[in-house]
Amino acid sequence: MRVERDFFKLLNQSGGGHLQRALVRSILGEGAKHSTESIMDWVAGERDSTHVNVELTKFSELSQWEFDSSGHLAHESGGFFRIEGVEVEMNRGPVSKWRQPIINQPEIGILGILTAEIGGTIHALMQAKIEPGNTNVVQISPTLQATRSNYLQKHKGKAPRYLEHFRGDNNAVIVDQLQSEQGARFLRKRNRNVVLFTRHPPSDGGQFRWMTLAQIKEISRLDNMINMDSRTVISGLALNGCREISDALSGASHPISELYRSYMFDPEQGPSLWSLNQIFSWLTHLKTEAECEVSPCSLQVLGEWELSDERITHKTGRYFDVVPVKVTIGNREVTSWDQPMIRPHQDGVCALFYREIDGVVHFLMQAKMECGNLDLLELAPTIQCLTGSYKAGSVPFVPELEAALESGQGVHVDVMQSEEGGRFYKEQNRNIIYNCGDSIPLDLPNSFIWMSAGQVRNFGRFSHYLNVQTRCLLALL
Amino acid sequence: MRVERDFFKLLNQSGGGHLQRALVRSILGEGAKHSTESIMDWVAGERDSTHVNVELTKFSELSQWEFDSSGHLAHESGGFFRIEGVEVEMNRGPVSKWRQPIINQPEIGILGILTAEIGGTIHALMQAKIEPGNTNVVQISPTLQATRSNYLQKHKGKAPRYLEHFRGDNNAVIVDQLQSEQGARFLRKRNRNVVLFTRHPPSDGGQFRWMTLAQIKEISRLDNMINMDSRTVISGLALNGCREISDALSGASHPISELYRSYMFDPEQGPSLWSLNQIFSWLTHLKTEAECEVSPCSLQVLGEWELSDERITHKTGRYFDVVPVKVTIGNREVTSWDQPMIRPHQDGVCALFYREIDGVVHFLMQAKMECGNLDLLELAPTIQCLTGSYKAGSVPFVPELEAALESGQGVHVDVMQSEEGGRFYKEQNRNIIYNCGDSIPLDLPNSFIWMSAGQVRNFGRFSHYLNVQTRCLLALL
């Protein structure tokens, strides 16, 4: 096997105190290589020097894309991704049977963040990345966003920058997980989420900057600055077991929030409303009751969806369109290509409620079925209303959220965050973290459950449990 | 949510001492309701009074089964299961592309064992179940083996006996997990594995008997007595956190094996060769490299497989046949039906190696790709050679196993166990647990890894990590 080292073993070994202090400094934002101001200037500069033009065109005029014999929209190389039709039948939710377009991108992607100690503080190497669908043109993304073929260098193409740091056994592992993407939009898509620590930090510059954890967190509170790929990777960071760090942060002059401390440090098997055993039983029971059949169908016969040469759109005007676009993009180099994109009709809302139960922070999770899930149900935030469905039905806990937003009381985070800009055209969701206190009781509707912060983090280590919306919210802690 | 109680909370609450002692007595085999001898007599009696006739017939003469328009063999009701053809392409193993028949049975099945305290000892309610493919006609199976439709009572059919104990919220949960079936034979099949504890034990009799844990273990050391469904459910039993029980067993006059104690009690995050973080990284890396494409094809065009009216068979005579059979079965009532079955060409071998590393028991696991896996790779035992492939290739660790079997040294368990008798006709595998000591080094080939007993058990709590062969071997501990 790869004999890579474990970052946590480095932290806890004798002589690991230096690294622990570097991590504490990063969390507190001390000793940053670049000031946050200069990072914001640099992002603004990248944005200003970037030209992005996304022009609507016609499916029949898309270069290199065409409808294949199965009625799917595919690239003539067979690569990238396909837009396919699916017929979905499930026994949960307001609608039991429908058809819809979905993205099929079977390759596992690699989302990697490289970290290192620089000047006594842990830094993460982040990229200012242009994507055609980005709301802000440029968003901060992981060090490496590569397709599997690119990562494995199967076609001997140009290697992405810093790729060599993610191959081989030299660096210590902080996080390395396969995690799912949006189950309502992607058919069983997964990405490898990896964070490594190197003893030999490469230099930044160009589209890359070293940043502290505190800087990433600070910037994540601004609308549409940290991209989805960064957020899902960051959500995997947890420091349980590092009691010295927890203690150091308690005594720090800049106290961190109790919520953050809970998620980062609470034990997995500490006190909680339900035992892990009970949570498994609840989830297994729901999965046993669940029915979800997904079968492929042609985009030409999508029922409620109309296919014209300009777009695929739902008759009610809800949900999203699939549109053919011509992209011209670049700053230093200018490139141009055609592709289909998903364009939503309205913004969505994702909200995570939390409260203390017997002095321990618990999150209000729901088991949500989405047709692209590999295993029927994943744990979604308290409220997850993507475009179209928010106003459509009576979604639990929406009235409570609306009241909270009106009063402003208990709203810990409230920020707009974008979906992945390579596939989605300016799709954004309002992300809210809300301390509901005891306004929400311990007894919940059947598909909802209170889980302690340590339990949520524990599920995050295994695949197919926390959905991408949950992970993105957790990243904001 | 279902507010069922957690058995471990009952154990550890004040007043749980009585239950702890009842569990210790069950593990040690004290206070059994029926002697093991009388249980063996009862099984023999069931066997003698049972008539099973499995007669080979022709596909064209199968009542209610036919090849549908896609070339799959299906029941005319659309129910039960289908035999389908698949084309598999993968980048691991000696063969990169092949076609094969596979069983598609999309419904989640329920495998449930009911436990209770009887006369101061925990007992499990087991069933003497007849299946047409059973090597011993009758094998000991869980209290409940039900299809999902039967469990949910969707068609108002006759309820299986004791079903009511598995529905509702009255009983405490010991185990409740979704787990996979054989990935080489089933397409993404899963079962719910559940063990409950009731305060109100129903009476046994007929095809059911209350047994202690020690009795089940004792009987599992005999060939083909405990069926596969029982073994996978039992593998989920673990008592970590119950220090009092661990202590009681250490001091018992009948000491239990160190191996058993490790699996049942070792902490998940205790000392181990690799941290959980490193194991995740190893597995994620292998999954990222893995390629496995499975597409449906007709049984009529299976390449190396020949379809005649008598059977579907591989040209080389290896692997297995699909055969049409007429079953007549019964003891009290006699019933008769037709179905296809899988008939293997030879027995298989599954072996799990273990050794101590720095005083902690570690198992030698491999990441194995099978075409029916939901998530590419699962953790398989050290050696897993199902029919046909054992003699075909050079399988790692087979020479070491053969040497061990010759000398007899370190062989902890060596027993024949059957596959599920409802689908497989007298398919059995030799199950071996072998203490290899330091004859196997810490450094292993790429797809193998040493995992501590506590780590293996922890992975067993989550779905899609331990494959069914691993779980069945662990059940023998």
Side-chain angles (χ1 to χ4, degrees), chain B residues 448-460:
Chain B
F448 291 84
I449 198 166
W450 287 110
M451 288 173 64
S452 75
Q455 287 174 332
V456 170
R457 196 192 52 236
N458 191 23
F459 274 102

Side-chain angles (χ1 to χ4, degrees), chain A residues 4 6 9 148 154 173 176 190 268-269 275 277-278 281 284 288-289 291 375 461 463-465, chain B residues 4 6 148 154 173 176 190 192 268-269 275 277-278 281 284 288-289 291 375 463-465:
Chain A
E4 72 265 279
D6 182 347
K9 286 191 180 174
R148 180 175 171 280
K154 288 180 77 170
V173 175
D176 196 351
R190 280 107 50 78
E268 279 144 31
Q269 305 189 348
S275 67
N277 214 26
Q278 286 171 306
S281 183
T284 304
T288 306
E289 285 189 335
E291 284 169 28
D375 192 12
R461 305 180 80 167
S463 300
H464 318 307
Y465 287 98
Chain B
E4 72 265 278
D6 182 348
R148 180 175 170 280
K154 287 180 79 170
V173 175
D176 196 351
R190 281 108 51 76
R192 179 176 183 180
E268 279 144 33
Q269 305 190 349
S275 66
N277 213 26
Q278 286 171 306
S281 184
T284 304
T288 306
E289 284 189 336
E291 284 169 26
D375 192 11
S463 300
H464 317 307
Y465 287 99

Side-chain angles (χ1 to χ4, degrees), chain A residues 247-304:
Chain A
D247 292 347
L249 288 170
S250 306
S253 53
H254 309 267
I256 56 166
S257 78
E258 185 50 36
L259 185 58
Y260 176 80
R261 200 198 317 276
S262 295
Y263 183 63
M264 293 294 261
F265 301 107
D266 269 7
E268 279 144 31
Q269 305 189 348
S272 53
L273 181 61
W274 303 107
S275 67
L276 200 53
N277 214 26
Q278 286 171 306
I279 294 172
F280 275 121
S281 183
W282 166 79
L283 194 58
T284 304
H285 181 79
L286 289 175
K287 283 184 181 177
T288 306
E289 285 189 335
E291 284 169 28
C292 180
E293 213 165 308
V294 179
S295 27
C297 64
S298 163
L299 291 170
Q300 260 112 23
V301 291
L302 274 190
E304 300 282 295

Side-chain angles (χ1 to χ4, degrees), chain A residues 171-197:
Chain A
N171 296 324
V173 175
I174 303 180
V175 175
D176 196 351
Q177 302 165 337
L178 275 195
Q179 294 289 4
S180 58
E181 292 269 321
Q182 294 100 307
R185 300 292 173 78
F186 284 102
L187 200 59
R188 304 193 186 118
K189 168 110 174 69
R190 280 107 50 78
N191 284 318
R192 180 176 182 180
N193 288 211
V194 55
V195 183
L196 298 179
F197 173 79

